Amino acid sequence: ETQQVLAQKAVGYIRVSTDEQSNNGIGLEAQEAAIRAFAESQGYDLVEIVADPGVSGATRPATRPGFSRVLALAEKQAFSILLVWKFDRLARSLEYAVTTTSGLQEQLGITLRSVTEPIDTATPTGQIIFAVLAGFAAQERESIIDRTIAGKKQKASRGGYVGGLTPYGYRRDKEGGLVIHEPEAAVIRRIASMREAGATLQAIADALNAEGIPGRRGGAWYARTI
């Protein structure tokens, strides 16, 4: 009777990276709604839905705060079925996806089910299909990385701003580019002039600090920041 009760208990796991949420719209709310609807249709007792917001699928699942909660529940035998929106929510790395799924099944008796992909990982055939899907997910991730890098290189070649810490003397505009911030730009011109006149980096920093001119983050100037 205990095993029968446990067989109907499920936990949902949802994950989204910041880029995915903004670009593809597959946010946490949509994943949660799909998991709740699926659990109700299957007659599962949904114990909890655990989320990892803003976490990359390239990270090892066990290192994520949310998935650590899933593992803790599994070790307590609180459920036997782990529901995900898609298998790639677990991991986009083939190694992480396969090893994590195998570990859940063999060590903790947890079956992984996708609410959008009709594959039963509890069967040998399902495990093979899952491995193939995990391979596609890993390949997709590599393709996304390649396209992102290529796009940034192309933008940079045209003099565009590709992200990172905004340089001193600039501000970001509404299009994500850079525009000159004149108060700081005046400081940069002064630094260049002092340097051309033979001042050392430390002497320039001391002069700016003596006049109370704040650095990039509002702090003091140092030779290395000059």
Side-chain angles (χ1 to χ4, degrees):
E1 291 179 355
T2 300
Q3 290 178 343
Q4 290 177 351
V5 171
L6 184 61
Q8 296 302 311
K9 289 187 177 294
V11 163
Y13 175 69
I14 56 180
R15 178 193 64 78
V16 71
S17 67
T18 304
D19 290 341
E20 286 174 328
Q21 191 168 19
S22 60
N23 295 334
N24 301 329
I26 48 175
L28 297 177
E29 292 183 2
Q31 293 180 42
E32 180 174 347
I35 287 176
R36 290 190 181 279
F38 182 82
E40 183 176 356
S41 70
Q42 299 298 306
Y44 292 147
D45 178 11
L46 194 57
V47 176
E48 187 175 335
I49 291 184
V50 183
D52 265 323
V55 175
S56 171
T59 60
R60 188 181 298 275
T63 64
R64 306 172 194 163
F67 200 80
S68 296
R69 169 64 178 169
V70 172
L71 294 177
L73 291 171
E75 291 173 354
K76 294 179 181 179
Q77 296 186 330
F79 70 102
S80 64
I81 301 169
L82 179 62
L83 299 177
V84 292
W85 179 67
K86 288 181 65 176
F87 287 125
D88 66 5
R89 297 304 86 194
L90 184 65
R92 284 189 177 272
S93 163
L94 176 59
E95 176 187 359
Y96 294 164
V98 173
T99 56
T100 301
T101 302
S102 298
L104 288 171
Q105 177 69 39
E106 297 173 4
Q107 301 173 19
L108 300 172
I110 304 298
T111 298
L112 177 66
R113 293 199 65 181
S114 165
V115 305
T116 59
E117 299 158 324
I119 301 171
D120 185 0
T121 60
T123 66
T125 301
Q127 292 174 4
I128 293 174
I129 298 175
F130 167 76
V132 172
L133 285 178
F136 280 124
Q139 180 60 41
E140 180 188 6
R141 176 177 174 270
E142 293 301 322
S143 297
I144 292 173
I145 292 174
D146 290 342
R147 289 195 299 269
T148 300
I149 293 175
K152 287 186 175 182
K153 285 183 177 179
Q154 184 177 7
K155 185 176 181 181
S157 69
R158 299 195 303 265
Y161 176 62
V162 295
L165 185 65
T166 304
Y168 183 84
Y170 295 88
R171 293 292 185 271
R172 298 190 188 189
D173 59 20
K174 294 181 179 180
E175 287 72 35
L178 294 178
V179 293
I180 294 176
H181 181 60
E182 190 54 40
E184 293 181 354
V187 176
I188 291 178
R189 296 187 191 103
R190 180 181 174 190
I191 290 173
S193 177
M194 293 175 68
R195 184 62 172 166
E196 289 174 358
T200 64
L201 298 180
Q202 188 60 56
I204 297 172
D206 292 341
L208 296 178
N209 289 331
E211 296 179 24
I213 298 175
R216 179 168 57 185
R217 298 181 180 179
W221 290 92
Y222 300 93
R224 64 177 181 274
T225 57
I226 298 295

